[in-house]
Amino acid sequence: MIPKDYQWPDFSFKLASLANKSNLPSTTESQISHIEDFFCQKFNAPLFLFPSARSAISAVFQFIHMSRQHIVYAPMWSSHCVWDVISRYANPTCISSPHPDATLLVHKWGYEFITSCKDPSKVISDSVDSLFLSTKEILKGAKFEVISLPKTLGTFCGGILICKDKNFPDFLRNLRSQACADTAREQEQRKLAELRHGKNSEVWHMLEYKNFLLTPICLENISCNLKNYKLATDLITSRVDRLRKKLNMDYLPFSNSRLPCIILLCENKHKISNKEMFMRRQFNFSFQNEVEQFSEALLLPLHIGISDDAFEGFFRNIE
């Protein structure tokens, strides 16, 4: 069954992994180190584990001292998560300026975008749904890089923040020491309730930005799904190769360093039958963060949350 919103692996896919057992280290600190070490080997850069990508961005805003006197840019049609976390600290805008206080460089669905902001210290690279094949584009023009584990690995929690600032580790230790364990447990309970009952309520979102602790079940879920990184990269690479052999997609700038989780289909470039099965969304085909060139596209999912049978259903409907 294909979920109604298939932009990323859905909750039913994530829930299946909760029953798995793993050989985790015995303490929270060593569990976090175990996961961070896995990604350090992939990205060859200092990084930090958070309960979510939104939590990671929230920590960055605290680190760079964002407040209501500041303006943070993000492109039009950015996700609710982006606008929510900006609004908790500063004033969000989708009108670009030469000297923003901070910029969210959104690599939508895993496509590389460039920014006009020339000061990397003000740029947060939002790569939440990117799967990286190499380190070439990591921290490219940005001081911070954020990746979502639910959107890439199919976990129900977890985010990675890549940052080389030598002051950040001490800042994060202090942030975690002041964080509320009750908030972490409440967020976890609400997420699990949503998973078990198949609801799409967003009541737990109100806790996302202020939770900086990971519970044991979150850490176990992430550790159990680390193997999905290779599974996901292999799967998406294979699906992209098949599509590029079948379709002319020269309007999409495929990267050798990152994989997309979605293929964007333009109706004027492809013959598509049964269009009703495809989601429609606006996308910026300028591939420039501050330059608006939006048009509607049909979404063809590539990620690990889409079964082979479901992918074949989409594949047969396009020429």
Side-chain angles (χ1 to χ4, degrees), residues 31-224:
Q31 290 174 28
I32 291 174
S33 295
H34 166 71
I35 296 167
E36 289 179 344
D37 288 347
F38 173 87
F39 287 104
C40 278
Q41 293 177 25
K42 297 287 184 187
F43 304 143
N44 193 29
L47 53 82
F48 309 91
L49 180 66
F50 282 84
S52 66
R54 194 180 327 192
S55 170
I57 296 173
S58 176
V60 170
F61 284 153
Q62 291 191 42
F63 183 66
I64 63 177
H65 306 294
M66 285 291 100
S67 68
R68 288 298 182 190
Q69 66 181 318
H70 297 115
I71 296 175
V72 177
Y73 174 84
M76 285 181 62
W77 302 100
S78 293
S79 69
H80 172 267
C81 303
V82 167
W83 300 118
D84 176 80
V85 71
I86 294 174
S87 300
R88 303 289 183 175
Y89 294 93
N91 296 290
T93 183
C94 54
I95 300 174
S96 62
S97 65
H99 306 289
D101 297 310
T103 291
L104 265 292
L105 173 56
V106 179
H107 301 285
K108 188 72 172 178
W109 292 314
Y111 292 93
E112 183 188 7
F113 277 68
I114 60 173
T115 178
S116 60
C117 181
K118 302 304 181 184
D119 184 353
S121 69
K122 295 183 177 181
V123 179
I124 303 168
S125 190
D126 183 341
S127 296
V128 292
D129 40 20
S130 293
L131 276 165
F132 286 96
L133 295 173
S134 76
T135 61
K136 181 180 178 181
E137 291 179 19
I138 291 176
L139 295 179
K140 183 179 178 180
K143 185 175 181 177
F144 308 95
E145 190 98 36
V146 179
I147 300 168
S148 168
L149 300 186
K151 292 179 179 178
T152 53
L153 304 189
T155 60
F156 79 91
C157 60
I160 295 294
L161 174 67
I162 305 172
C163 172
K164 293 183 178 180
D165 192 305
K166 294 181 180 179
N167 295 315
F168 192 82
D170 286 339
F171 165 81
L172 181 56
R173 275 191 288 271
N174 184 56
L175 188 64
R176 285 173 174 165
S177 70
Q178 298 178 40
C180 178
D182 288 341
T183 298
R185 283 191 291 267
E186 184 179 358
Q187 184 185 17
E188 175 190 271
Q189 290 168 4
R190 292 186 179 188
K191 280 192 174 185
L192 291 176
E194 183 172 347
L195 294 174
R196 288 172 179 140
H197 299 298
K199 297 178 181 178
N200 289 320
S201 61
E202 298 183 351
V203 292
W204 52 266
H205 283 307
M206 70 182 71
L207 303 173
E208 197 89 358
Y209 81 100
K210 59 181 179 180
N211 177 31
F212 304 104
L213 297 177
L214 291 113
T215 62
I217 194 170
C218 289
L219 291 168
E220 180 172 357
N221 179 248
I222 295 169
S223 187
C224 285

